[in-house]
DNA sequence: ACCTGAACACCGTTCAAGT
DNA sequence: ACCTGAACACCGTTCAAGT
């Protein structure tokens, strides 16, 4: 029955794996103890309580999102690459990202990306308060889009579906638009299109 | 001890009030029963169980978000007014909106707004797939921004704070930018600025 | 320093019984 | 048709006791 002494790291690892696979609701202290083959109360010795266990998982996730390396020739292209990188990272950890969001740490998670954006906006020639606005607008745009997209994926069958509302009868004067809106959106395309449009408007804007 | 017979509507009202004030975690079946002065089990007769009670609250919220009346002279102005209206509505029900989001119904909640956006984009001269893209990009932008903003508000003291990262030592070549980023963002200003910039880029873009 | 089982207060839910 | 209390299985957490 002897087993290596339990470590905090083991607890976190098992908990993270549980959350990754089945979401935070599936993480019960008793279930986790069963997974680890220890008494429930041992876990408390290592991580305090459930709340601080979740905090630790969130903290881990925030750290993991730290690396952002923009690529591309122009500032606009490099900004777009930041968007692309963030999208990929986010989509790999849906439950953990949701937990970061619930805890109000979404912004902190994106600070490294913000630094990258500052650099690019600066390279594009923006300065001062105008540069700050551009950085924040793009940051909000990227993060916001990804939150909406995640929601859409997890979403149950929608009723009424977008399609039901946009059949030709509702918009008789533009069947192509009705058709486009009744098809599911391609999120990646829409994402890149949106970031590109916003970036263009923000970088092009001259001083007033 | 006689009291009017409990109704489903009463249960929903009491539950909604509880959630509005203290969030969904504060809604326990036993606590709700105590508020209503009935046995816990009566509630089950009226609403099934906790899950479907929450579903009903969410459904209510989605319905309440139905009315959108754009105002303004130009399509761009009217789109901005839609954004403004949505922002106000959302901010009045933070907990309920979070629940809508958790249930993956954010999109459905915004269908009326989508219809309004279609109308405006159409008035601005966009047609077909291009119009559909513009509508969706703006919709994602608005919804996403509001989700991020809500997160920021609920957020605990951030460490490191934005300010810590953007002190003059970090960005020595643009003190005005460092200063701007170390001040808290003004969300309303940033929101309107972002929507305006994106709308401008999307409406101005000619066919290719 | 680390682990354990027993116990506590709290959940949501079911059910048989009442009127 | 509507309400009730008792009971069940499940939580997170504490604590005194072990090694």
């Amino acid at each position: 029955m002897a087993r290596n002494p339990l470590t905090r790291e083991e607890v976190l690892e098992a908990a993270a794996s549980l959350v990754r696979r089945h979401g935070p609701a599936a993480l019960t202290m008793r279930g986790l103890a069963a997974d680890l083959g220890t008494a429930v109360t041992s876990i408390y010795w290592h991580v305090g309580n459930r709340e601080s266990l979740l905090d630790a998982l969130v903290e881990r996730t925030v750290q993991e999102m730290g690396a952002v390396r923009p690529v591309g020739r122009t500032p606009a292209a490099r900004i777009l690459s930041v968007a692309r990188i963030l999208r990929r990272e986010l989509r790999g950890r849906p439950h953990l990202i949701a937990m970061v969001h619930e805890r109000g740490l979404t912004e902190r998670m994106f600070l490294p990306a913000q630094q990258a954006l500052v650099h690019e906006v600066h390279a594009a020639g923006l300065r001062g308060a105008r540069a700050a606005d551009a950085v924040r607008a793009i940051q909000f745009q990227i993060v916001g889009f990804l939150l909406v997209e995640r929601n859409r994926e997890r979403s149950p069958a929608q009723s009424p579906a977008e399609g039901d509302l946009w059949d030709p009868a509702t918009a008789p004067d533009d069947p192509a638009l009705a058709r486009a809106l009744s098809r599911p959106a391609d999120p990646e395309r829409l994402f890149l299109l949106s970031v590109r449009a916003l970036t263009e408007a923000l970088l092009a804007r001259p001083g007033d």
Side-chain angles (χ1 to χ4, degrees), chain A:
Chain A
M1 247 6 105
R3 114 203 254 304
N4 291 349
L6 191 63
T7 65
R8 180 183 159 87
E9 210 45 46
E10 267 182 289
V11 175
L12 292 185
E13 196 50 47
S17 146
L18 235 163
V19 168
R20 229 181 243 264
R21 282 173 299 147
H22 304 113
L27 175 62
T28 69
M29 301 302 268
R30 286 172 155 88
L32 184 56
D35 281 6
L36 288 164
T38 51
V40 206
T41 40
S42 301
I43 298 176
Y44 282 85
W45 198 91
H46 287 285
V47 300
N49 56 23
R50 184 172 187 273
E51 200 55 22
S52 55
L53 169 55
L54 292 179
D55 285 345
L57 294 185
V58 162
E59 189 53 39
R60 248 187 178 208
T61 306
V62 170
Q63 298 302 335
E64 285 171 10
M65 292 293 298
V68 187
R69 302 234 159 280
V71 297
R73 291 220 202 81
T74 64
R78 293 163 66 81
I79 287 171
L80 200 63
S81 82
V82 170
R84 226 190 276 267
I85 292 165
L86 291 178
R87 183 163 183 270
R88 179 164 28 82
E89 294 295 321
L90 273 272
R91 289 168 58 84
R93 312 157 165 76
H95 291 302
L96 286 165
I97 298 298
M99 283 167 57
V100 172
H101 186 62
E102 277 156 29
R103 279 167 159 60
L105 296 174
T106 308
E107 269 213 292
R108 185 156 80 78
M109 184 167 68
F110 281 96
L111 272 179
Q114 189 183 64
Q115 292 183 286
L117 290 178
V118 164
H119 188 259
E120 298 309 329
V121 161
H122 204 80
L126 296 196
R127 293 290 181 275
R130 187 172 299 280
D133 282 345
V135 165
R136 280 182 167 145
I138 294 171
Q139 184 186 349
F140 271 60
Q141 153 103 331
I142 293 175
V143 180
F145 191 103
L146 294 173
L147 292 177
V148 177
E149 183 184 353
R150 241 190 61 63
N151 185 259
R152 179 183 266 256
E153 280 171 12
R154 196 178 23 170
S155 159
Q158 310 250 345
S159 69
E162 275 185 306
D164 301 340
L165 275 161
W166 299 113
D167 67 296
T170 319
D173 54 343
D174 192 345
L177 176 128
R179 229 180 304 118
L181 280 175
S182 72
R183 274 195 302 270
D186 172 350
E188 165 136 35
R189 199 180 62 82
L190 191 62
F191 178 61
L192 296 176
L193 175 156
S194 300
V195 175
R196 214 179 274 125
L198 182 66
T199 304
E200 178 191 313
L202 290 169
L203 298 190
R205 181 165 305 209
D208 27 285

